[in-house]
Amino acid sequence: MSRTPFVAGNWKMHTNAEECVALCRAVRERVEGIEGVEAGVCPPFPFLQAAKAALKGSSVLLGAQNAHWEAQGAFTGEVSPSMLRGLADYAIIGHSERRQYFCETDETANKRLKAVLSHGLLPIFCLGETRDEREANRTEEILERQLRRGLDVVPWTPACVIAYEPVWAIGTGLAATSEQANEAIGFIRRLVGELVGAEIAQATRIQYGGSVKADNAAELFAQPEIDGALVGGASLDADAFAAIVRAAAG
Ligand code: PEP
């Protein structure tokens, strides 16, 4: 089954309002006309509206970096999926920085997944093992736990996206080898098949994330299981990001 690769930029807590708009414009200029790939950016919450305006009429998709599971309520500092409806196409769910610094668990990621889907958004569901877990040969056990709990009774569709992001590769400059990434993503796809059906699993885009740069992207994307990337640091440079998008287009 051929899947259209998807390259999404996670801008994390970077840019101010002006920089966000300038980066959106630079990205759209550079990726417009690249065929056979989808590109998206995930700016900080306060700038989503400005980003949407800056991307209007382009094919660049817009993602939020998180979403709460309730539609509204006394949850200071959170943003609900209903607030993102009509604004963002995607929401990143379960990113390792959320798990590491903000007490995100498999269970809260599961609640957020259900909520974004019920509000018409698509998830980019992140999972991945730590260095210690990989060194202890526990990678598959960890991925299986995160997937089983994360996807529990989630109405998964082929439009939902997964990002395999080994924690040891995020922001470290030390990307997984293309073989490591392909093997882990193949494992994830088989398990998604068990959980939601083989046909849906075959259609689901599974990105690799972790120190993807312009110079290692082509090698990663040459692997059959890797359907694009979730890109952190390199997505803040429009030229580097566009080069990664181009590499995913093949
Ligand atoms: C990320 O934040 O999801 C990520 C993969 O970051 P980086 O590309 O900087 O490793």
Side-chain angles (χ1 to χ4, degrees):
M1 148 127 12
S2 83
R3 296 175 292 267
T4 303
F6 177 32
V7 178
N10 173 15
W11 295 358
K12 311 194 189 198
M13 201 170 69
H14 293 292
T15 72
N16 60 30
E18 292 76 30
E19 288 163 350
C20 170
V21 168
L23 191 50
C24 284
R25 290 189 182 135
V27 166
R28 77 176 281 177
E29 234 172 63
R30 285 161 180 76
V31 307
E32 217 56 70
I34 306 178
E35 307 217 326
V37 61
E38 285 177 11
V41 296
C42 306
F45 282 124
F47 312 139
L48 280 173
Q49 195 77 56
K52 188 175 173 67
L55 295 173
K56 194 167 180 219
S58 87
S59 58
V60 180
L61 298 160
L62 191 58
Q65 294 177 20
N66 198 7
H68 196 260
W69 52 87
E70 294 290 346
Q72 60 178 12
F75 300 103
T76 303
E78 289 287 326
V79 173
S80 84
S82 62
M83 294 169 182
L84 297 169
R85 197 181 190 136
L87 184 56
D89 306 291
Y90 285 89
I92 297 173
I93 300 296
H95 192 279
S96 70
E97 286 154 14
R98 301 289 320 169
R99 295 177 190 258
Q100 196 176 346
Y101 304 125
F102 302 100
C103 306
E104 189 83 53
T105 63
D106 295 331
E107 286 68 33
T108 55
N110 174 259
K111 290 207 252 185
R112 293 181 201 270
L113 272 178
K114 288 179 191 150
V116 298
L117 282 163
S118 75
H119 285 85
L121 294 160
L122 289 168
I124 299 175
F125 172 57
C126 302
L127 75 172
E129 80 287 359
T130 63
R131 178 184 300 283
D132 285 352
E133 288 161 349
R134 177 162 280 268
E135 285 174 358
N137 280 327
R138 295 182 60 215
T139 298
E140 292 192 351
E141 171 202 330
I142 299 302
L143 296 180
E144 178 159 0
R145 189 206 72 211
Q146 291 174 332
L147 262 183
R148 284 193 186 280
R149 292 188 186 167
L151 265 55
D152 188 37
V153 256
V154 167
W156 195 258
T157 76
C160 297
V161 175
I162 292 176
Y164 166 60
E165 298 212 303
V167 179
W168 48 272
I170 297 178
T172 59
L174 184 76
T177 65
S178 52
E179 291 77 16
Q180 284 173 324
N182 194 61
E183 194 184 332
I185 292 177
F187 174 79
I188 291 169
R189 195 178 307 285
R190 285 193 294 282
L191 195 55
V192 172
E194 270 179 40
L195 296 173
V196 302
E199 210 173 311
I200 297 178
Q202 279 308 314
T204 297
R205 270 99 52 93
I206 309 182
Q207 304 169 316
Y208 165 74
S211 298
V212 177
K213 308 275 181 248
D215 59 6
N216 61 8
E219 195 186 330
L220 287 158
F221 299 152
Q223 295 287 338
E225 294 289 355
I226 304 179
D227 304 319
L230 184 57
V231 185
S235 70
L236 294 168
D237 175 330
D239 288 321
F241 184 68
I244 295 168
V245 173
R246 230 174 281 116

